[in-house]
C-alpha cells in the first residue's frame, strides 16, 4: 500500500495554496475596516472645514451691516440714518400726492365751490386754472415734510429705545402699545415745530394761487407782511392734527404688523423681500386709514386757520372755537373721502420706502419690541 498523501488544494498548512480562503477573508475585513477609519477621518476633516466656511459666511453677513469704518452704526450715526430714511419717505410720498392734497384743501376751504367730490374737484381745477395748478405748493410740501419726516421717524426710533432703557425690556414688552404711542407723540411734537412754517406757506399758496410764485417768495412775503408769528398761527391745530395722526399711525402699524405676522406664523426676519413689502404695504394701509379718520377734524381746522389772517387781537384758540362752531361735525369731516385715499396711500408708501431705505443704509439697529424674546 502506498503512503497517504494529503491533497494540497484543501490543505490549510501547506504552502501550495497560501493564503487559504479563511485568511483572505480575514485580510479583506481588516482592509475594509482600515478604509472605513480613513473615510471617517476624511469626513471629519471635511466637516470641520465646512464649519469654518459657515462661520466665515456668518461673519460676512454681519459685515454687510457695518459702515466703511468697519463698525455697526450706533448712536448719532444710526439715528441720522433713520432720519434720512424718514425724510426721503415723507418727501417722496407727500410730494407725489401734491395734486390730491390741492384738491382736498380746496374742498375744505371752499366746499360751496368744490362740491363734486375728489374727481370732480380735479376736473374743476384743471378746467379753471390748468393742470399746473395741481402742483401748487409742491416746494413747501416736499421740503416741509422731508424735515418733518426726519424728526418723526428718527425721533420715533430714538424715543422708543429710550423708553425701553427706562422701563426695562419686560415692562416695555408688556406695555408696548403705550411705548409706541408715547414715542411717536414726542417725536411728532418736535417735528411739528419744524413743519409748521412750511405748512402755513403751502396752505397760503394753495388757497391763494396769486399770493406768491413759490416757496421762497411765499415764505418771505408772510414773514415781511405778517411777522414770524404768522407761521405758527396754526401750531395748535397742527399739533391737534399731527400728534394724534402720528400716534395712531405708528401704534396701529406696529400692532397690525404683529397681528399679520402671527397669522402667518413667521418672524419678520424670516420674510422674503416680497413678503416684507406686502407686510409694510398692508400694515401701512390699515394704519393710514385709522390715522386719517382720527386727524380729519384738525386737518380741516388747520386749512381754515391758515387761509387768511385773524381779526386784530383775536387769539388762535378763539378762532378755532369759532370755526368749529360754524362748521359743525359734518363740516369738520368735509373732504374725508379724499383724505382717506390720500393718507391711506401715503402711509403705506412711507413705511415701504422707509423700510427699504433703512435696509440700504444698513440702519439695522431699530428695536422691534414684540420680537424681543421673553
Amino acid at each position: 500500500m502506498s503512503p497517504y498523501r494529503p491533497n494540497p488544494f484543501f490543505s490549510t498548512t501547506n504552502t501550495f495554496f497560501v493564503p487559504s480562503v479563511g485568511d483572505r477573508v480575514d485580510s479583506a475585513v481588516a482592509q475594509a475596516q482600515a478604509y472605513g477609519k480613513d473615510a471617517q477621518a476624511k469626513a471629519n476633516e471635511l466637516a470641520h472645514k465646512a464649519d469654518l466656511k459657515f462661520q466665515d459666511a456668518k461673519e460676512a453677513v454681519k459685515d454687510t451691516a457695518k459702515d466703511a469704518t468697519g463698525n455697526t452704526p450706533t448712536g448719532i450715526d444710526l439715528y441720522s440714518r433713520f432720519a434720512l430714511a424718514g425724510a426721503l419717505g415723507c418727501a417722496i410720498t407727500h410730494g407725489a400726492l401734491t395734486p390730491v392734497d390741492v384738491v382736498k384743501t380746496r374742498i375744505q376751504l371752499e366746499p360751496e365751490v368744490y362740491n363734486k367730490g375728489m374727481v370732480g374737484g380735479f376736473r374743476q381745477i384743471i378746467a379753471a386754472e390748468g393742470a399746473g395748478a395741481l402742483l401748487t405748493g409742491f416746494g413747501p410740501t416736499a421740503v416741509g415734510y422731508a424735515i418733518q419726516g426726519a424728526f418723526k421717524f428718527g425721533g420715533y426710533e430714538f424715543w422708543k429705545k429710550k423708553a425701553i432703557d427706562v422701563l426695562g425690556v419686560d415692562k416695555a414688552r408688556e406695555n408696548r402699545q403705550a411705548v409706541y404711542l408715547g414715542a411717536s407723540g414726542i417725536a411728532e411734537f418736535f417735528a411739528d415745530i419744524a413743519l409748521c412754517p412750511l405748512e402755513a406757506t403751502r396752505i397760503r399758496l394753495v388757497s391763494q394761487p396769486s399770493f406768491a410764485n413759490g416757496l421762497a417768495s411765499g415764505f418771505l412775503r408772510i414773514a415781511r407782511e405778517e411777522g414770524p408769528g404768522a407761521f405758527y398761527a396754526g401750531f395748535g391745530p397742527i399739533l391737534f392734527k399731527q400728534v394724534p395722526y402720528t400716534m395712531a399711525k405708528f401704534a396701529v402699524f406696529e400692532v397690525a404688523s404683529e397681528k399679520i405676522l402671527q397669522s402667518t406664523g413667521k418672524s419678520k426676519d424670516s420674510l422674503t423681500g416680497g413678503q416684507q413689502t406686502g407686510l409694510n404695504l398692508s400694515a401701512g394701509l390699515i394704519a393710514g386709514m385709522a390715522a386719517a379718520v382720527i386727524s380729519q377734524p384738525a386737518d380741516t381746522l388747520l386749512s381754515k386757520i391758515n387761509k387768511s389772517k385773524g381779526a386784530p387781537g383775536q387769539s388762535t384758540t378763539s378762532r378755532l372755537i369759532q370755526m368749529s362752531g360754524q362748521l359743525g361735525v359734518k363740516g369738520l369731516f368735509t373732504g374725508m373721502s379724499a383724505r382717506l385715499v390720500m393718507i391711506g396711500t401715503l402711509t403705506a408708501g412711507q413705511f415701504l420706502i422707509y423700510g427699504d431705505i433703512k435696509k440700504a443704509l444698513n440702519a439695522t439697529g431699530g428695536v422691534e419690541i414684540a420680537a424681543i424674546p421673553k
Side-chain angles (χ1 to χ4, degrees), residues 5-357:
R5 299 177 184 275
N7 190 331
F9 184 80
F10 294 103
S11 173
T12 60
T13 59
N14 197 289
T15 59
F16 179 84
F17 188 69
V18 179
S20 69
V21 172
D23 292 338
R24 295 189 60 145
V25 170
D26 291 341
S27 176
V29 171
Q31 190 175 24
Q33 290 177 339
Y35 281 137
K37 290 180 180 179
D38 184 54
Q40 185 176 10
K42 289 182 177 180
N44 290 337
E45 182 182 359
L46 289 172
H48 178 65
K49 290 181 178 179
D51 183 63
L52 291 177
K53 292 290 186 183
F54 177 68
Q55 296 300 327
D56 290 342
K58 286 174 67 178
E59 292 301 317
V61 171
K62 290 180 181 178
D63 288 341
T64 61
K66 297 181 178 180
D67 58 20
T69 65
N71 299 315
T72 301
T74 57
I76 295 176
D77 183 19
L78 176 63
Y79 291 106
S80 65
R81 298 181 189 213
F82 289 143
L84 178 58
L88 292 174
C90 288
I92 291 170
T93 52
H94 278 280
L97 288 172
T98 296
V100 178
D101 202 27
V102 168
V103 176
K104 173 192 70 72
T105 303
R106 293 287 183 89
I107 291 173
Q108 290 174 328
L109 295 178
E110 300 178 81
E112 67 281 356
V113 177
Y114 299 96
N115 54 10
K116 299 179 181 179
M118 187 169 65
V119 175
F122 271 100
R123 291 173 177 168
Q124 285 178 277
I125 292 173
I126 292 173
E129 305 170 39
L134 294 173
L135 293 177
T136 303
F138 175 81
T141 296
V143 175
Y145 281 97
I147 297 171
Q148 189 229 27
F151 279 95
K152 178 190 294 186
F153 282 88
Y156 174 68
E157 299 284 3
F158 174 80
W159 291 109
K160 185 168 66 170
K161 179 63 169 61
K162 287 297 180 184
I164 295 171
D165 293 342
V166 170
L167 296 174
V169 172
D170 292 333
K171 284 188 177 181
R173 188 193 307 108
E174 293 170 2
N175 302 282
R176 55 186 177 275
Q177 286 84 1
V179 172
Y180 301 148
L181 292 170
S184 57
I186 296 171
E188 185 60 43
F189 175 82
F190 290 105
D192 290 343
I193 294 174
L195 172 66
C196 200
L198 292 158
E199 181 70 354
T201 305
R202 180 194 71 81
I203 291 175
R204 189 65 63 87
L205 293 175
V206 172
S207 61
Q208 301 176 25
S210 60
F211 181 77
N213 294 324
L215 169 60
S217 59
F219 188 93
L220 291 173
R221 182 176 174 184
I222 293 174
R224 183 176 62 252
E225 295 181 0
E226 303 172 37
F231 291 119
Y232 287 92
F235 187 61
I238 208 171
L239 284 178
F240 184 48
K241 165 196 167 186
Q242 288 294 135
V243 171
Y245 160 76
T246 299
M247 292 171 72
K249 170 180 173 176
F250 280 102
V252 173
F253 176 81
E254 297 273 16
V255 173
S257 297
E258 184 180 337
K259 296 301 182 184
I260 292 171
L261 288 172
Q262 286 178 356
S263 68
T264 62
K266 295 183 178 181
S267 66
K268 198 169 185 178
D269 292 337
S270 68
L271 298 180
T272 65
Q275 290 171 335
Q276 183 68 63
T277 297
L279 174 65
N280 288 336
L281 285 173
S282 300
L285 184 61
I286 295 169
M289 294 290 189
V293 174
I294 289 171
S295 61
Q296 173 64 19
D299 185 63
T300 301
L301 290 174
L302 179 64
S303 297
K304 291 285 187 181
I305 203 168
N306 280 308
K307 181 180 179 181
S308 59
K309 296 186 291 185
Q314 187 179 24
S315 67
T316 300
T317 303
S318 64
R319 291 179 67 193
L320 290 174
I321 294 173
Q322 181 183 8
M323 289 176 182
S324 298
Q326 292 172 345
L327 291 168
V329 175
K330 183 178 180 180
L332 288 172
F333 282 90
T334 300
M336 187 73 249
S337 60
R339 185 167 166 77
L340 280 171
V341 172
M342 176 182 173
I343 300 301
T345 305
L346 180 145
T347 305
Q350 281 180 3
F351 280 111
L352 172 64
I353 295 170
Y354 178 66
D356 288 347
I357 295 178

